Amino acid sequence: MSDKPAVAGGRPVRDKLLPLAGAAVSDEDVHAVTGVLQSGKLGCGEMVRRFEEAVAGYVGARYAVAVSSGAAGLHIGLMAAAVGYEEEVITSPLTHPATSNCILYQGGIHTFADIDPATLNMDPQLVAAKINSRTRALIPVHFAGNPCDLDALHGLARENNLVVMEDAAHALGGEYGGKKIGSLSDLTVFSFSSPQHCYTGEGGMVTTDSEELYEWLLIFRENGMVADPDKQAKPEGPWRVEMQDRGYNYRMTDMQAALGLSQLARVEEFVDRRAALAEIYNRALAGHPAVALPEQNSRGRSTWHYYILALRPETLRVSRAEIYYALRAENIEVGVHYLPVFLHPYYLWIGHPDVCSLEGSLCPRAEQMYHRLLNLPLYPAMSDRDANDVISAVSRVLDYFSV
């Protein structure tokens, strides 16, 4: 094959597109969902309860509450933690907007602490500098499944009496300090939307060891309604259902839970396969002058939700956009995650001084890294040959456009 990339007239590495991500749905998954459909019981019922127990058992938490999405989990997590009006919550700028939107839903103040460019996770030293008398909670994000420095963040939380709610959307199956993510903080929120390690179409889960937080999570998920007579303000019979607080319809269905239960049995297999593919990439791309490879937390086990390359612009004679389109011409789909939250138009329009600054950059590291990042395809159904095709495409494109 010619070393000339497809955008310069060469033949593409692949004849058909290799997608960036894909769900691994088995016959067992289909059978599990079909069984629920045939039962006629499709709502939030016994299968959801079983899925909750299974996730709690897997991560080592006392309680788990299934919800309609990871975003819903973040929302009711802050509600359960009683974070409210004009109370500050510190989170990462390099994440999906849902991570900070939950703060807006509560009338709180979102504060972004910049990242460590090597790990792409929130830098604890910069978090410490942001904490003040109004700060109530921290939302660390395990970016691409790479565990945050939880020791440092938990230390800050203890010193300042803060709630820690982990955004573990990318991190089911991950570990920190020898323990599963999901059993380490006040609250942990997982997502089960594609292309997660446990796929339910849409859906999420909140785990906690606190019985009080658990009870509030249930109420907020169920429109604020309470059906248990033992927990009602004025019980009068089994027919009574009373609203005790403002809540939302954030329930998961039994169909989703059945798929989740089936997928959960293969989470370790999925994470191991992702790690194996990442190692193929690491071996092939380590030392290439045009890229920096993702640095992983030595205290943790990454789930490799994404494989992120950081381009070195000084070694290239074209922009990231041109590298992106060149790889797409090779029939390799690549992506960019994420646009820093404070640069989204809505956050700029809000006009909060910590968000819409007329001078300088709010989180310069996050902004700088955003313009360098590319995600490569990485999902359990990929073959080693697929991974080698990616390497061939990346190498020929980077070599061709290197200074």
Side-chain angles (χ1 to χ4, degrees):
M1 181 180 291
S2 169
D3 288 335
K4 186 180 291 186
V7 290
R11 181 181 175 184
V13 166
R14 293 176 65 95
D15 294 329
K16 294 183 179 179
L17 180 70
L18 178 68
L20 181 62
V25 177
S26 68
D27 290 342
E28 290 79 6
D29 297 337
V30 173
H31 179 73
V33 176
T34 301
V36 172
L37 288 169
Q38 291 173 337
S39 76
K41 299 177 181 179
L42 310 184
C44 184
E46 175 63 17
M47 197 62 70
V48 169
R49 185 192 64 78
R50 287 174 54 193
F51 187 35
E52 290 171 337
E53 290 180 353
V55 170
Y58 174 71
V59 303
R62 290 182 64 194
Y63 306 104
V65 176
V67 286
S68 55
S69 67
L74 290 165
H75 185 193
I76 65 170
L78 277 194
M79 292 180 73
V83 173
Y85 183 66
E86 291 193 347
E87 292 183 319
E88 293 192 9
V89 181
I90 301 173
T91 191
S92 172
L94 206 60
T95 184
H96 190 283
T99 309
S100 55
N101 286 350
C102 64
I103 305 166
L104 299 182
Y105 301 157
Q106 290 301 99
I109 297 172
H110 47 279
T111 301
F112 298 107
D114 212 346
I115 61 166
D116 177 340
T119 66
L120 305 179
N121 284 327
M122 209 161 50
D123 185 331
Q125 291 186 333
L126 300 179
V127 173
K130 295 279 187 175
I131 294 173
N132 60 61
S133 60
R134 293 194 301 182
T135 307
R136 283 279 290 112
L138 307 178
I139 307 180
V141 178
H142 302 297
F143 186 83
N146 184 21
C148 293
D149 185 349
L150 289 175
D151 285 341
L153 295 171
H154 286 160
L156 291 172
R158 287 191 297 270
E159 292 168 10
N160 297 279
N161 193 30
L162 306 178
V163 172
V164 177
M165 180 172 68
E166 298 171 48
D167 182 337
H170 298 170
L172 183 67
E175 298 177 4
Y176 183 82
K179 294 183 178 180
K180 281 281 193 293
I181 289 172
S183 62
L184 300 166
S185 297
D186 300 295
L187 297 148
T188 305
V189 181
F190 297 103
S191 172
F192 304 135
S193 63
S194 181
Q196 311 294 356
H197 308 81
C198 179
Y199 180 47
T200 63
E202 292 290 342
M205 191 78 72
V206 188
T207 60
T208 184
D209 282 341
S210 166
E211 183 176 3
E212 180 180 3
L213 291 175
Y214 170 67
E215 295 292 348
W216 281 115
L217 289 167
L218 290 176
I219 290 173
F220 294 138
R221 179 189 70 179
E222 301 281 350
N223 290 296
M225 307 292 280
V226 176
D228 185 346
D230 293 335
K231 298 175 182 177
Q232 290 180 347
K234 189 179 179 181
E236 59 180 357
W239 58 86
R240 181 181 174 93
V241 180
E242 62 182 33
M243 180 174 168
Q244 294 187 352
D245 208 316
R246 181 189 66 187
Y248 299 85
N249 182 358
Y250 282 164
R251 293 187 292 265
M252 177 180 281
T253 69
D254 272 9
M255 290 180 292
Q256 293 170 298
L259 178 55
L261 266 171
S262 183
Q263 290 255 309
L264 186 65
R266 291 184 289 152
V267 166
E268 290 296 314
E269 172 192 333
F270 291 160
V271 174
D272 286 346
R273 180 58 184 158
R274 286 175 178 270
L277 290 166
E279 183 57 26
I280 292 173
Y281 286 159
N282 287 340
R283 287 197 304 266
L285 298 173
H288 196 293
V291 294
L293 302 190
E295 181 178 306
Q296 302 302 300
N297 190 327
S298 61
R299 290 267 291 145
R301 175 203 191 194
S302 176
T303 60
W304 292 100
H305 180 75
Y306 295 129
Y307 188 92
I308 308 289
L309 285 182
L311 301 177
R312 300 185 190 276
E314 69 277 9
T315 70
L316 297 166
R317 53 188 175 83
V318 295
S319 67
R320 179 188 61 185
E322 289 170 279
I323 299 295
Y324 176 99
Y325 289 119
L327 289 171
R328 183 59 180 79
E330 302 292 341
N331 279 321
I332 303 295
E333 186 177 16
V334 291
V336 175
H337 290 82
Y338 290 99
L339 176 66
V341 175
F342 56 85
L343 294 181
H344 283 276
Y346 179 76
Y347 277 82
L348 293 173
W349 293 334
I350 289 172
H352 186 278
D354 282 347
V355 177
C356 187
S357 175
L358 297 178
E359 296 181 4
S361 170
L362 179 61
C363 295
R365 295 176 180 176
E367 290 192 43
Q368 181 187 52
M369 292 305 297
Y370 165 69
H371 292 289
R372 296 174 53 193
L373 300 181
L374 278 177
N375 333 4
L376 303 185
L378 183 64
Y379 52 98
M382 280 178 60
S383 67
D384 288 4
R385 181 175 179 177
D386 291 333
N388 286 320
D389 284 347
V390 174
I391 291 163
S392 296
V394 169
S395 297
R396 73 192 296 208
V397 166
L398 292 179
D399 291 346
Y400 184 80
F401 289 112
S402 289
V403 173

